[in-house]
């Protein structure tokens, strides 16, 4: 049994271990006891802060080694705990990140850390818990409880399939994007953001068309550069995209529709609330951008459609919305498949074998089409993605999503027909 007379480092380590190993039936009792010991003394609180950060840094490092990434750990806190633990998760990730220079991190890892705004803000490790408590208006016991609950949730995570280099163990991918690409990605994101926010359908169509034009051009150029030896170590990669309730099944269907149109594959880990998308870097960026934009449009259209009731007055809104989103995803799949086929045909027809004229993604000449044509290049990339999925996930099963509301199905397909897609383009990339 831990005691307040113990050295602070031992006290914190034992408290965290006891909570992590507690059985569910007695968890509340164990957490209360451990938190009481950590919070008992105001004089020892700075020492507890320093020791807890040390324990947390090691816990986060073990999660990295088990295949988890920053956005995953925050998602766990959001799904299983509450806002305080979410904020604490971001700070503990920032604390662990002090061990790794930014230049040694993979591009996507850096993007996750930046989007989370995970950066140390506290003046010293001894000041972390006191400052955090003041920021969130917590007493010592409440904060100790939140920290113990969060570290337990992370300790119980099983190993998952890695989707990128782990900080401190692997060098960034050799196929990191060129310096000009983030600027293009920013332009595309800005165009899609305007398309989502405008109240004028014609304007949304024009903005989305422009974004897709940029992305389609870049995606095919990337494939041709790789085929011509202009890209080193250009192998399929993977990203995780959070897909949470409500309506996680239809949302996953929408993501799969977008991924398929961009020659990527989706594997759904329902129990963890995320999907793994496997594909080439340019196409993975495409999937993230277009999925996010279409999900915003679908959600807005679903809420505009309102709620529904049965004839006897019983609510059927959940069934209506489930069917709405399933139909939306199914129709978007059809539209994207048609657009992808047209865009590929136009690119192949507009750039004969061996042609390399025009402006490429860096402002230089466009990459030449190999002697065999464009379609074999794209087919080879699709085959490489399938092979990567087979190696990463050798035991896959299909998932069915039910539809039980006919009106929701009809409304969903109609909304998908109104979604901002340009008829001349279907593939999107950064």
């Amino acid at each position: 049994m831990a005691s307040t007379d113990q050295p602070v480092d031992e006290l914190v380590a034992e408290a965290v271990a006891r909570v992590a190993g507690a059985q569910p039936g007695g968890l509340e009792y164990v957490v209360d006891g451990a938190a009481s010991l950590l919070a008992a003394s105001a004089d020892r609180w700075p020492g507890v802060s320093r020791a807890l950060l040390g324990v947390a840094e090691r816990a986060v490092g073990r999660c990295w080694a088990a295949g988890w990434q920053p956005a995953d750990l925050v998602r766990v806190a959001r799904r299983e705990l509450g806002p305080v633990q979410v904020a604490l998760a971001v700070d503990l990730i920032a604390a662990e990140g002090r061990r790794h220079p930014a230049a040694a991190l993979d591009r996507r890892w850096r993007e996750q850390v930046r989007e989370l705004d995970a950066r140390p803000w506290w003046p010293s490790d001894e000041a972390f818990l006191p400052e955090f408590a003041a920021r969130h208006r917590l007493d010592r016991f409440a904060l100790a409880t939140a920290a113990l609950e969060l570290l337990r949730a992370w300790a119980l995570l099983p190993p998952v399939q890695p989707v990128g280099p782990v900080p401190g163990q692997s060098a960034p991918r050799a196929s990191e994007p060129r310096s000009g690409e983030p600027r293009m990605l920013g332009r595309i994101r800005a165009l899609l953001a305007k398309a989502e926010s405008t109240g004028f359908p014609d304007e949304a169509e024009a903005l989305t068309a422009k974004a897709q034009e940029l992305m389609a051009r870049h995606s095919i150029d990337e494939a041709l550069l790789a085929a011509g030896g202009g890209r080193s170590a250009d192998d399929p990669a993977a990203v995780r995209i959070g897909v949470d309730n409500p309506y996680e099944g239809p949302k996953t269907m929408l993501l799969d529709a977008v991924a398929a149109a961009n020659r990527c594959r989706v594997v759904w880990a329902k129990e963890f609330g995320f999907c793994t998308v496997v594909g080439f870097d340019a196409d993975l960026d495409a999937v993230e951008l277009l999925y996010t934009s279409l999900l915003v449009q679908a959600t807005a259209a679903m809420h505009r459609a309102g709620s529904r009731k049965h004839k006897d007055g019983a609510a059927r809104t959940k069934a209506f919305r489930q069917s709405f989103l399933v139909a939306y995803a199914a129709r978007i799949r059809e539209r994207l498949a048609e657009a992808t086929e047209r865009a590929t045909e136009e690119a192949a027809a507009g750039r004969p074998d061996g042609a390399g004229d025009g402006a490429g993604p860096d402002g230089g000449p466009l990459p030449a089409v190999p002697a065999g044509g464009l379609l074999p290049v794209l087919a080879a990339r699709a085959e490489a993605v399938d092979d990567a999925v087979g190696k990463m996930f050798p035991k896959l099963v299909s998932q069915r999503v039910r539809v039980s509301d006919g009106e929701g199905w009809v409304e969903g397909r109609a909304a998908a027909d109104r979604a901002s897609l340009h008829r001349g383009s279907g593939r999107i990339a950064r």
Side-chain angles (χ1 to χ4, degrees), residues 195-364:
E196 294 157 18
S197 61
T198 182
F200 302 98
D202 290 343
E203 183 183 12
E205 177 75 15
L207 291 167
T208 306
K210 179 60 177 176
Q212 290 180 326
E213 179 184 342
L214 293 173
M215 289 188 258
R217 184 188 311 151
H218 182 67
S219 181
I220 291 175
D221 288 346
E222 286 287 319
L224 293 175
L225 280 169
R231 284 282 184 273
S232 59
D234 190 59
D235 297 319
V239 297
R240 294 196 186 110
I241 296 178
V243 181
D244 277 322
N245 267 323
Y247 316 115
E248 57 185 357
K251 290 176 183 177
T252 300
M253 288 182 62
L254 178 61
L255 176 57
D256 186 65
V258 175
N262 287 277
R263 297 181 178 88
C264 295
R265 294 277 304 278
V266 171
V267 178
W268 183 21
K270 183 177 181 180
E271 66 274 27
F272 300 129
F274 64 70
C275 290
T276 301
V277 185
V278 183
F280 288 88
D281 274 338
D283 300 329
L284 293 175
D285 286 338
V287 170
E288 290 186 276
L289 283 171
L290 185 55
Y291 169 70
T292 300
S293 180
L294 288 174
L295 185 59
V296 168
Q297 295 182 55
T299 302
M302 180 181 70
H303 286 295
R304 284 196 300 269
S307 59
R308 293 294 188 275
K309 292 184 178 181
H310 291 286
K311 292 182 178 180
D312 60 3
R316 63 178 178 91
T317 298
K318 183 176 181 180
F320 172 84
R321 290 181 172 177
Q322 170 91 358
S323 301
F324 182 103
L325 290 174
V326 170
Y328 185 96
R331 179 57 182 144
I332 287 294
R333 180 183 297 274
E334 295 169 0
R335 293 187 65 192
L336 287 176
E338 294 166 359
T340 297
E341 183 177 358
R342 282 194 301 269
T344 304
E345 291 174 352
E346 290 172 5
R351 200 182 307 174
D353 294 359
D357 297 330
D362 292 324

Side-chain angles (χ1 to χ4, degrees), residues 155-212:
L156 296 180
L157 292 174
V160 293
Q161 174 63 44
V163 295
V166 176
Q169 295 184 7
S170 303
R173 286 171 55 89
S175 58
E176 289 270 316
R178 292 159 292 173
S179 59
E181 290 176 3
R183 190 183 311 114
M184 178 180 286
L185 188 59
R187 290 177 61 195
I188 293 167
R189 281 183 172 147
L191 288 167
L192 289 175
K194 290 180 181 178
E196 294 157 18
S197 61
T198 182
F200 302 98
D202 290 343
E203 183 183 12
E205 177 75 15
L207 291 167
T208 306
K210 179 60 177 176
Q212 290 180 326

